[in-house]
């Protein structure tokens, strides 16, 4: 991060109801089920979610007590916990197909430890990140406040708070902060796109969320109102897996960043 001059830094977050995050949650549910039954179980589970359909596929090695029926039941509970009971995606009616099968013995040779050989990894990923003192969680401020906006909406929605009545689980947020000499000093823009019930219009949703944004950002950080974009494309009724196919792994990091240098 630059420690001199002025620049803008933008980060994006997605909610638990975003289709890709639903897929991540269901893959995690399968993993948790196997590890609960056997800490040495092996799981490689890919999940696809779309209109009233969930597909679990991959390879596992674990106890027979973790049946396909049990995994489908746990997935329904997870979808219910997220909050999906819509015509196009419901925890009650979604078709859940489980296509998990035994891990290849050939692949297992590479990931098992034996003798003096270290335990291997079946998949690898390259990620970047850093800790800093900008926020209590030691996360960069733009990402922290992007997460915090959606976390606050989620908590209010789950609690049935009238402040967010009519909002649905699928949402995205984006926060742009202005930095001066390496320190964040205020927000220049905020974007929130959230799925909602039929009948809620854009100005009404903006009125609902403006106080929430002000409560999340530090005092004096609110951008000009014309730089606060709530559902900028307009209507967002059809969303979640019904509006967009979700796949495991596309939102693991959930950290898109943009840097614009204003001065040197």
């Amino acid at each position: 991060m630059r420690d001199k001059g002025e620049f803008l830094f933008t980060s994006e977050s997605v909610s638990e109801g975003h289709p890709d995050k639903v897929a991540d949650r269901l893959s995690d549910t399968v993993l948790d089920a196997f590890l609960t039954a056997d800490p040495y179980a092996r799981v490689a589970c890919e999940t696809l979610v779309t209109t009233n359909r969930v597909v679990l596929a991959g390879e596992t090695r674990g106890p027979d007590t973790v049946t396909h029926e049990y995994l489908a039941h746990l997935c329904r509970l997870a979808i219910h916990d997220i909050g999906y009971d819509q015509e196009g995606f419901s925890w009650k009616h979604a078709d859940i197909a489980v296509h998990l099968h035994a891990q290849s013995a050939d692949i297992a040779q590479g990931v098992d430890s034996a003798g003096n050989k270290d335990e291997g990894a079946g998949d690898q990923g390259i990620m970047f990140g850093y800790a800093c003192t900008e926020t209590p969680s030691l996360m960069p401020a733009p990402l922290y406040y992007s997460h915090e906006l959606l976390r606050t909406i989620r908590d209010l929605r789950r609690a049935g708070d009238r402040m967010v009545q009519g909002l649905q689980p699928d949402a995205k947020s984006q926060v742009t902060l202005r930095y001066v000499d390496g320190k964040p000093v205020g927000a220049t823009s905020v974007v929130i796109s959230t799925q909602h019930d039929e009948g809620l219009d854009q100005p009404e949703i903006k009125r609902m969320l403006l106080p929430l944004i002000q409560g999340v950002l530090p005092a004096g950080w609110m951008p000009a109102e014309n730089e606060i974009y709530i559902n900028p494309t307009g209507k967002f009724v059809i969303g979640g897996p019904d509006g967009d196919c979700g796949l495991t792994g596309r939102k693991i990091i959930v950290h898109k960043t943009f840097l614009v240098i204003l001065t040197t």
Side-chain angles (χ1 to χ4, degrees), residues 6 15 35 44 70 108 118 178 200 236 256 261:
E6 185 175 342
S15 71
L35 292 181
Y70 179 56
D118 290 337
R178 183 169 68 94
L200 274 180
F236 187 11
K256 297 180 182 178
I261 298 174

Side-chain angles (χ1 to χ4, degrees), residues 197-263:
D197 289 348
E198 187 76 65
L200 274 180
D201 60 22
Q202 189 181 33
E204 187 174 358
I205 296 171
K206 187 169 185 175
R207 285 194 298 271
M208 293 165 62
L209 295 185
L210 278 176
L212 183 148
I213 296 169
Q214 188 164 20
V216 167
L217 293 177
W221 278 32
M222 278 287 281
E225 189 167 336
N226 63 355
E227 292 293 339
I228 298 176
Y229 305 93
I230 306 296
N231 284 14
T233 59
K235 184 177 179 180
F236 187 11
V237 172
I238 300 175
D242 187 29
D244 189 15
C245 180
L247 295 171
T248 298
R250 292 199 299 204
K251 295 293 188 298
I252 289 177
I253 304 175
V254 199
H255 188 187
K256 297 180 182 178
T257 61
F258 308 91
L259 175 65
V260 178
I261 298 174
L262 301 179
T263 63

Side-chain angles (χ1 to χ4, degrees), residues 70-92:
Y70 179 56
L71 293 174
H73 169 68
L74 292 180
C75 285
R76 290 195 191 281
L77 295 181
I79 295 168
H80 176 269
D81 187 57
I82 293 169
Y84 276 118
D85 190 12
Q86 303 168 1
E87 182 179 351
F89 194 71
S90 170
W91 68 275
K92 298 176 186 174

Side-chain angles (χ1 to χ4, degrees), residues 18-261:
H18 185 284
D20 293 331
K21 290 307 293 180
V22 174
D24 286 343
R25 170 76 177 270
L26 299 185
S27 288
D28 285 345
T29 297
V30 171
L31 176 63
D32 289 346
F34 273 96
L35 292 181
T36 298
D38 178 5
Y40 297 98
R42 297 296 176 85
V43 176
C45 177
E46 309 291 347
T47 301
L48 176 149
V49 293
T50 185
T51 302
N52 267 331
R53 182 173 294 273
V54 174
V55 178
L56 306 178
E59 301 77 43
T60 64
R61 188 172 70 197
D64 294 337
T65 54
V66 185
T67 64
H68 286 188
E69 293 75 17
Y70 179 56
L71 293 174
H73 169 68
L74 292 180
C75 285
R76 290 195 191 281
L77 295 181
I79 295 168
H80 176 269
D81 187 57
I82 293 169
Y84 276 118
D85 190 12
Q86 303 168 1
E87 182 179 351
F89 194 71
S90 170
W91 68 275
K92 298 176 186 174
H93 310 302
D95 177 69
I96 301 178
V98 182
H99 298 288
L100 297 167
H101 57 81
Q103 182 187 45
S104 161
D106 294 342
I107 294 176
Q109 295 180 94
V111 298
D112 287 340
S113 58
N116 293 323
K117 183 176 79 70
D118 290 337
E119 186 173 351
D123 292 289
Q124 298 81 39
I126 298 173
M127 288 161 263
F128 80 94
Y130 59 90
C132 62
T133 58
E134 295 174 4
T135 62
S137 64
L138 305 182
M139 297 179 73
L143 182 60
Y144 173 85
Y145 291 110
S146 295
H147 284 340
E148 198 64 24
L149 287 171
L150 296 186
R151 186 179 296 114
T152 302
I153 294 172
R154 178 203 66 188
D155 291 347
L156 292 172
R157 178 177 57 80
R158 287 187 171 199
D161 196 295
R162 295 183 62 183
M163 183 178 182
V164 296
Q165 189 172 4
L167 300 189
Q168 293 292 330
D170 192 4
K172 280 187 175 183
S173 66
Q174 182 176 291
V175 173
T176 299
L177 298 185
R178 183 169 68 94
Y179 281 72
V180 176
D181 295 336
K183 297 183 181 298
V185 297
T188 62
S189 68
V190 172
V191 182
I192 298 178
S193 293
T194 177
Q195 186 186 13
H196 58 87
D197 289 348
E198 187 76 65
L200 274 180
D201 60 22
Q202 189 181 33
E204 187 174 358
I205 296 171
K206 187 169 185 175
R207 285 194 298 271
M208 293 165 62
L209 295 185
L210 278 176
L212 183 148
I213 296 169
Q214 188 164 20
V216 167
L217 293 177
W221 278 32
M222 278 287 281
E225 189 167 336
N226 63 355
E227 292 293 339
I228 298 176
Y229 305 93
I230 306 296
N231 284 14
T233 59
K235 184 177 179 180
F236 187 11
V237 172
I238 300 175
D242 187 29
D244 189 15
C245 180
L247 295 171
T248 298
R250 292 199 299 204
K251 295 293 188 298
I252 289 177
I253 304 175
V254 199
H255 188 187
K256 297 180 182 178
T257 61
F258 308 91
L259 175 65
V260 178
I261 298 174

